[in-house]
């Protein structure tokens, strides 16, 4: 683990409970935004096309489970 990550970990461990909760909320949103950006990039670049085609083919042939 590099020194920056160690420093961040140490700083997080030293946060009071209210600030730790604030950090958790911020980090959850950060992770969500990062994930969304990756999905958008993958979709725009065509990486998901084969999966979408396969899913549509499964649906059209009745190979799916209702949720």
């Amino acid at each position: 683990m590099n020194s920056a990550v160690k420093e961040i970990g140490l700083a997080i461990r030293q946060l009071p409970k209210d600030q730790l909760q604030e950090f958790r909320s911020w980090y959850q949103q950060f992770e969500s935004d990062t994930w969304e950006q990756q999905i958008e990039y993958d979709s725009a670049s065509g990486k998901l096309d084969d999966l979408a085609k396969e899913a549509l083919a499964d649906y059209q042939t009745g190979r799916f489970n209702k949720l």
Side-chain angles (χ1 to χ4, degrees):
M1 191 180 316
N2 73 41
S3 63
V5 174
K6 287 179 183 177
E7 288 179 37
I8 293 168
L10 179 61
I12 291 169
R13 283 192 273 288
Q14 294 175 355
L15 290 174
K17 284 185 178 184
D18 62 324
Q19 290 180 13
L20 181 58
Q21 183 55 45
E22 185 178 346
F23 171 75
R24 283 183 180 137
S25 295
W26 173 85
Y27 193 77
Q28 281 182 317
Q29 188 62 53
F30 172 78
E31 281 285 285
S32 178
D33 292 346
T34 302
W35 174 255
E36 188 66 29
Q37 289 170 358
Q38 185 65 51
I39 292 295
E40 288 176 13
Y41 173 79
D42 289 348
S43 178
S45 70
K47 278 186 163 183
L48 304 177
D49 291 354
D50 288 342
L51 290 173
K53 288 176 189 174
E54 185 180 337
L56 287 172
D58 287 346
Y59 178 76
Q60 291 168 348
T61 59
R63 292 181 302 196
F64 66 92
N65 295 319
K66 290 184 179 183
L67 299 177

